[in-house]
Amino acid sequence: MLILLPPSEGKTAPAAGERADPADLWLPRLAPARRRILARLVALTRRTSARGVADSLAILGLSAGQHGEIARNAGLVTAPAAPAAQVYTGVLYEALDTAGLAAGARAWVDERAVVFSGLWGVLRLTDRIPAYRCSVGVTLPVVGGLTAYWKKALSPALDRAAADGPVLDLRSGAYAAMWAPSGALAGRTVALRVLHERIVDGEPRRSVVSHFNKATKGRLVRALAEADAAPASVDDLLSVLRELKYTVEERPAAAGRPRQVDVIVREL
């Protein structure tokens, strides 16, 4: 079983530690693709002229107040690295709280979770990385759009890594575009979204709310880990989620596409 996660925009920079080596990350065959992105990102952000800094901010989608992120990217080659579970500190990872898991549950997550990254492609939570700023929506000079870049690089490796299924896809749309299960694998994949339900004028209304979405996904993965879940199929996975007291509703899916599932969080 694999669990596909988005990265976190919020990151905590390691205070010390050896630098990251792209070949030491999960799926080392991706090291050349990672090094190319890293080199282009560092070259972009090492331009210190006013024009260079302005271009870097614009390309990375940052504001003038985020100038520090440019300096951080410029030093990535030698920056201290730490496990991705410590570097990613956004809402989903805060709710998952791997540091607070018992050893067995932590090992469960480490073995199954895969984080998608605009810079690194894919990671395990135990992979050591520095803090960085590079979303998959970025278009880097020479390289081009990172979504298309990683889609080409990831497909052969992930098709093999995920072949046995099931796959639980918790990625946001931008990161989901980096790799899409197809063929027989699509039938062993469930794409899950979280809907927040509240009563408006006596009627239930459902919507995607960013905070609820991310926090629920983090808690859901944590619950699966603590239950030592071992589903052999998508149907088994959905049964486990219901046993864990999640309200799960399946939506129609196009032929050859992953099964579509909603988890409903009701406002009390």
Side-chain angles (χ1 to χ4, degrees):
M1 178 182 180
L2 291 183
I3 299 175
L4 313 183
L5 300 175
S8 166
E9 185 172 301
K11 301 177 184 72
T12 297
E18 296 182 1
R19 66 182 181 86
D21 184 341
D24 289 341
L25 306 180
W26 187 54
L27 299 180
R29 72 190 70 179
L30 296 174
R34 290 167 173 145
R35 290 193 179 102
R36 186 178 184 216
I37 299 299
L38 179 62
R40 292 299 176 186
L41 180 62
V42 169
L44 170 71
T45 52
R46 279 183 174 171
R47 297 165 57 196
T48 57
S49 67
R51 175 62 182 274
V53 171
D55 286 348
S56 295
L57 290 171
I59 288 170
L60 297 176
L62 302 176
S63 67
Q66 294 173 300
H67 184 275
E69 300 287 354
I70 300 299
R72 176 181 288 177
N73 280 352
L76 281 176
V77 173
T78 57
Q86 298 175 23
V87 174
Y88 293 128
T89 52
V91 174
L92 187 154
Y93 293 91
E94 184 179 272
L96 174 56
D97 184 23
T98 56
L101 287 170
R106 176 64 182 269
W108 189 99
V109 173
D110 290 344
E111 182 181 342
R112 292 166 176 80
V114 175
V115 182
F116 282 68
S117 162
L119 174 55
W120 307 111
V122 285
L123 301 163
R124 291 295 200 182
L125 288 173
T126 52
D127 286 341
R128 298 177 63 83
I129 58 171
Y132 64 94
R133 191 62 174 260
C134 183
S135 75
V136 76
V138 164
T139 298
L140 286 178
V142 182
V143 170
L146 295 186
T147 300
Y149 179 89
W150 283 120
K151 187 173 184 178
K152 181 178 179 180
L154 291 178
S155 291
L158 282 179
D159 286 350
R160 287 189 289 271
D164 294 334
V167 176
L168 176 59
D169 190 351
L170 303 179
R171 297 172 295 170
S172 54
Y175 290 93
M178 293 172 67
W179 175 71
S182 60
L185 181 55
R188 297 193 292 272
T189 301
V190 56
L192 185 149
R193 69 177 182 177
V194 176
L195 295 180
H196 178 222
E197 182 179 281
R198 59 195 181 99
I199 304 301
V200 178
D201 297 329
E203 297 291 333
R205 303 284 178 85
R206 293 176 176 178
S207 60
V208 176
V209 178
S210 180
H211 180 86
F212 281 97
N213 174 56
K214 295 174 183 176
T216 300
K217 287 177 177 178
R219 288 192 291 266
L220 185 149
V221 176
R222 184 181 181 88
L224 289 170
E226 291 177 329
D228 194 25
S233 67
V234 168
D235 287 334
D236 287 348
L237 174 58
L238 299 184
S239 294
V240 170
L241 291 176
R242 292 185 175 109
E243 289 169 4
L244 293 171
K245 308 304 181 185
Y246 285 95
T247 300
V248 176
E249 297 180 1
E250 192 162 0
R251 293 178 284 119
R257 300 293 299 277
R259 291 169 66 174
Q260 305 293 308
V261 167
D262 293 335
V263 165
I264 311 303
V265 178
R266 293 189 170 93
E267 187 175 275
L268 300 179

